[in-house]
Amino acid sequence: MDDIDLMRDFNRYYTRRIGVLNDEYLGQGRPLGEARLLFEIGAGVDLRDLRRRLGLDSGYLSRMLRSLSAQGLVSVAPRPGDARVRTATLTSAGQRELADLEERSRASVAGLLEPLSADQRSRLVGAQAEIQRLLRLAAITLTPVPDSSAAARSCLRSYAAELAERFPEGYDAEGALLPPGTLHDGTFLLATEEDTPIACGLWQRLAPILASPSPVAPASSAPSPSPSSSAPSPSAPSPSAPSPSLPSRAAEIRHLWVSPSARGLGLARRLLAALEADAAAHGVTTVRLGTHSSLGEAIALYRSAGYREIPPYDESPYNQLAFEKSL
Amino acid sequence: MDDIDLMRDFNRYYTRRIGVLNDEYLGQGRPLGEARLLFEIGAGVDLRDLRRRLGLDSGYLSRMLRSLSAQGLVSVAPRPGDARVRTATLTSAGQRELADLEERSRASVAGLLEPLSADQRSRLVGAQAEIQRLLRLAAITLTPVPDSSAAARSCLRSYAAELAERFPEGYDAEGALLPPGTLHDGTFLLATEEDTPIACGLWQRLAPILASPSPVAPASSAPSPSPSSSAPSPSAPSPSAPSPSLPSRAAEIRHLWVSPSARGLGLARRLLAALEADAAAHGVTTVRLGTHSSLGEAIALYRSAGYREIPPYDESPYNQLAFEKSL
DNA sequence: TCCAATCTAAGACCTGAGTCAGAGATTGCG
DNA sequence: CGCAATCTCTGACTCAGGTCTTAGATTGGA
């Protein structure tokens, strides 16, 4: 039995167990769809958002809401300001009903856990947390996007905001952040979880350094089918590339950032590996990066990913440390 | 957030993820119920069993089967020998269809696992295995039953069969097994998982030993509300009890057995603890047990559960080792 | 041999879930 | 202002899932 079969087996077992659990507390007279609605309508939600979040047809939603408001559990009213969209709110009876649902749900889970010792319970939730982390990580997709795209800029803004807060000296986004539309020889990777951006990073070809060994022919560095947003094949240097006609084999990784909500999943490591792989596929053999001495987790990540410290290679005031790795 | 909320959170996340996974491969044109039927009809099943296993209404099942056999996937025929029950079999087209379903299911799980490294995958399935073990353990119920009940005897038969195989000298069930209906001062605990017996064990009051300290008044050993099948309250000794009018405060644990299908769950430990608790609730202060030197896991269990070795206290040829614990 | 029990088939019926097309209301923008 | 876009409601429709009842076939045991 391989991993796949083991997982299928677990899925069958778990969904069956949890299925009866859910029936136990949800199926108390109320149709499932309505119960889910009650859960989702916290304190006023636009119907539009409800539909999107639950993936419902507008007619279907409208009908369920009608039923719920006939039962006096929710009230639907046009949103002040824009009367096209309507918002649903729980009435006080609805809140009671929801609390009741929650309580029943808690009770049925408690009944399930009851025969287990405290130690066994904590092992159970520990294993669940591990699974959830890994599944989240697996559900995150990495896509190359233009560095000027809205999602990319929003990630970079969050990145800059966080650095401004963490660096004792603050962070000058204007001066230090990659200006939009200037990444011509490299790739901006965006990580999204259920269509919301949660992490990013980019690699960018470095101008050849005079002290570096003279460029050799790009012999076997054939263009690969790997995803790349903007980098042309190595034999066709981009217009913005500096004087030498052969592209540099050194690149820099910059702006690696993971949203706080996605930390602890191992996403930074995955993103870093993806950036390296993409750069390597474009003929890059050496990647460098600079970082701030206050970013302990990042430094630990680079070290454990095979980077070794080198003297700082640029003048950015924020890059007190620099690292390098051969691909 | 306590264990219960953590588990609810995980349930929501997991069922949602797995839900879309299932829709992906099951909802290919065929209704879910029919797909489940295909899975369940392996090589010939009685409709009666199908109904019981899936919890279906006879009319509903009959309708689905009609539809499946109209599609040429299953054939239903009266069982030779008893024409009241009918059996369903997959046709060769049905088998192909099932193989196809399985393949799609594997593919969708594989797609989910694809972004994970081998190490992450093995951590995932490891955590799943842990959860499954703990949930199985939690789903097992311990019930006191008469030692002559069919379920009890079936467990004891399996127990004897296993010992006969494991002991180099064999096992004489006639001589060594508790005869049915003879447990008058003690409790036979049966462990069942989804209504099938999977483990058992019993405690039985020992006749007072002459060398033991003289019996004290059973002062505070009040009868407790704990479950007990046959043991009368300590103040009313059973007719079969030997001469002294006060019940012995020593008991013996015997015939502790866990079906191979339920090993590794920690069930033996739970069963042992339940037996001790039940005995203690009946005024027992010392439990003893004997075991065979070849039963390494059992010996390790007793040691780790707080038993200390004592000299053998009876003449059973199978009890080369004896243990004792004060409750 | 006959009766009760068992098992299944079939039909009527119901509910929930979900889709679709069209009509109204409201708003933003040229 | 008027038009297009957005959002919602409504009703008609389909389908899966499931229950209930009745009837018929078969069998085992009195």
Side-chain angles (χ1 to χ4, degrees):
Chain A
M1 206 141 117
D2 63 357
D3 285 355
I4 297 180
D5 286 325
L6 285 171
M7 178 151 184
R8 292 211 301 147
D9 199 56
F10 176 75
N11 287 348
R12 253 196 302 274
Y13 184 81
Y14 202 79
T15 50
R16 195 162 54 90
R17 284 296 296 276
I18 302 309
V20 302
L21 210 67
N22 281 348
D23 293 352
E24 221 169 86
Y25 79 91
L26 276 183
Q28 303 280 22
R30 191 173 315 292
L32 223 105
E34 294 186 5
R36 272 199 300 245
L37 266 190
L38 283 181
F39 269 111
E40 213 64 32
I41 306 172
V45 198
D46 289 357
L47 298 200
R48 170 175 52 179
D49 296 339
L50 261 187
R51 272 217 318 278
R52 194 150 34 83
R53 220 180 316 162
L54 297 178
L56 296 175
D57 174 83
S58 77
Y60 185 24
L61 174 62
S62 152
R63 193 152 17 104
M64 280 196 292
L65 283 177
R66 211 187 322 156
S67 154
L68 282 176
S69 70
Q71 296 168 57
L73 300 178
V74 309
S75 65
V76 182
R79 182 172 66 182
D82 187 344
R84 282 174 307 180
V85 312
R86 292 161 62 91
T87 51
T89 347
L90 288 181
T91 65
S92 56
Q95 279 164 5
R96 274 197 307 278
E97 183 70 21
L98 176 61
D100 205 57
L101 268 176
E102 292 266 357
E103 189 42 47
R104 278 211 297 272
S105 161
R106 281 185 58 88
S108 73
V109 170
L112 188 83
L113 291 179
E114 194 268 328
L116 296 183
S117 69
D119 173 59
Q120 289 167 329
R121 286 186 208 197
S122 72
R123 269 164 48 211
L124 181 66
V125 298
Q128 289 178 332
E130 168 120 305
I131 290 177
Q132 204 163 351
R133 271 197 306 275
L134 289 167
L135 286 187
R136 278 191 67 192
L137 180 61
I140 292 170
T141 56
L142 305 185
T143 349
V145 299
D147 69 300
S148 54
S149 65
R153 295 326 290 185
S154 124
C155 268
L156 290 179
R157 266 197 306 279
S158 308
Y159 164 80
E162 178 169 353
L163 293 191
E165 197 166 311
R166 290 185 64 170
F167 292 173
E169 71 271 30
Y171 183 73
D172 169 33
E174 294 297 316
L177 219 51
L178 179 85
T182 56
L183 179 62
H184 293 302
D185 197 0
T187 302
F188 188 102
L189 278 188
L190 180 73
T192 52
E193 181 179 30
E194 292 173 15
D195 293 329
T196 61
I198 49 160
C200 68
L202 67 88
W203 69 265
Q204 183 175 33
R205 201 178 297 272
L206 282 172
I209 298 169
L210 296 180
S212 73
S214 65
V216 292
S220 63
S221 68
S224 91
S226 121
S228 165
S229 62
S230 49
S233 90
S235 56
S238 78
S240 73
S243 42
S245 60
L246 291 177
S248 161
R249 316 193 117 229
E252 181 185 25
I253 285 180
R254 297 179 66 189
H255 296 347
L256 189 64
W257 175 78
V258 173
S259 145
S261 72
R263 287 183 195 164
L265 304 179
L267 179 54
R269 187 178 299 273
R270 192 177 148 202
L271 200 47
L272 184 60
L275 285 169
E276 290 168 1
D278 188 60
H282 285 82
V284 170
T285 56
T286 305
V287 285
R288 299 195 184 127
L289 51 85
T291 194
H292 192 277
S293 56
S294 72
L295 299 178
E297 333 83 282
I299 295 169
L301 167 66
Y302 300 140
R303 287 232 159 81
S304 86
Y307 284 76
R308 61 168 216 285
E309 194 166 351
I310 56 170
Y313 60 92
D314 69 358
E315 308 82 39
S316 162
Y318 306 115
N319 288 347
Q320 290 129 12
L321 293 171
F323 290 87
E324 186 177 87
K325 180 182 182 180
S326 300
L327 301 181
Chain B
M1 205 140 118
D2 63 357
D3 285 355
I4 296 180
D5 286 324
L6 284 172
M7 179 150 184
R8 293 211 301 145
D9 199 55
F10 175 75
N11 287 348
R12 253 197 300 273
Y13 184 80
Y14 202 81
T15 49
R16 195 162 53 89
R17 285 296 297 275
I18 301 310
V20 302
L21 209 68
N22 282 347
D23 293 351
E24 219 168 88
Y25 79 91
L26 276 182
Q28 303 280 20
R30 191 174 315 294
L32 224 106
E34 294 186 4
R36 272 200 299 248
L37 266 191
L38 284 182
F39 269 112
E40 213 63 35
I41 306 172
V45 198
D46 290 357
L47 298 199
R48 169 175 50 178
D49 296 339
L50 262 185
R51 271 216 317 278
R52 194 149 34 83
R53 222 181 312 164
L54 298 177
L56 296 175
D57 174 84
S58 78
Y60 186 24
L61 174 62
S62 151
R63 193 156 14 111
M64 281 195 292
L65 284 177
R66 213 186 320 155
S67 153
L68 282 176
S69 71
Q71 296 169 59
L73 300 178
V74 307
S75 65
V76 183
R79 182 171 67 182
D82 187 343
R84 281 174 308 182
V85 312
R86 291 161 60 93
T87 52
T89 349
L90 288 183
T91 65
S92 56
Q95 280 164 5
R96 274 197 307 277
E97 184 70 21
L98 176 60
D100 205 58
L101 268 175
E102 292 266 356
E103 189 41 46
R104 278 211 297 272
S105 160
R106 280 185 60 87
S108 75
V109 170
L112 187 83
L113 291 178
E114 193 268 329
L116 296 182
S117 69
D119 173 59
Q120 288 167 330
R121 286 186 206 196
S122 72
R123 270 164 46 212
L124 181 66
V125 298
Q128 290 178 330
E130 169 119 306
I131 291 177
Q132 203 164 351
R133 271 198 306 275
L134 290 166
L135 286 188
R136 279 190 67 192
L137 180 60
I140 291 170
T141 56
L142 306 185
T143 348
V145 299
D147 69 300
S148 54
S149 66
R153 295 327 291 185
S154 125
C155 268
L156 289 179
R157 266 196 307 279
S158 307
Y159 164 79
E162 178 169 353
L163 294 190
E165 195 167 312
R166 290 185 64 170
F167 292 173
E169 70 272 29
Y171 184 74
D172 169 33
E174 295 297 316
L177 218 53
L178 180 85
T182 57
L183 179 63
H184 295 301
D185 197 359
T187 301
F188 189 101
L189 278 189
L190 180 73
T192 52
E193 181 180 30
E194 291 172 16
D195 292 329
T196 60
I198 48 160
C200 68
L202 66 88
W203 71 264
Q204 182 175 33
R205 200 177 297 273
L206 281 173
I209 298 169
L210 297 179
S212 71
S214 64
V216 292
S220 63
S221 68
S224 91
S226 123
S228 166
S229 61
S230 49
S233 90
S235 56
S238 76
S240 74
S243 42
S245 61
L246 291 178
S248 161
R249 317 193 118 231
E252 180 184 27
I253 285 180
R254 295 179 67 188
H255 297 345
L256 189 63
W257 175 79
V258 173
S259 144
S261 72
R263 287 183 195 163
L265 302 178
L267 179 54
R269 186 177 301 270
R270 190 176 150 203
L271 200 46
L272 184 60
L275 285 169
E276 290 168 3
D278 188 61
H282 285 81
V284 170
T285 57
T286 304
V287 282
R288 298 192 187 132
L289 52 84
T291 194
H292 192 277
S293 56
S294 72
L295 299 178
E297 332 83 280
I299 294 169
L301 167 67
Y302 300 141
R303 286 231 159 81
S304 86
Y307 285 76
R308 63 169 213 286
E309 193 167 352
I310 56 169
Y313 59 92
D314 69 358
E315 309 83 39
S316 161
Y318 305 115
N319 288 348
Q320 290 130 11
L321 293 171
F323 291 88
E324 187 177 88
K325 180 181 182 180
S326 301
L327 301 181

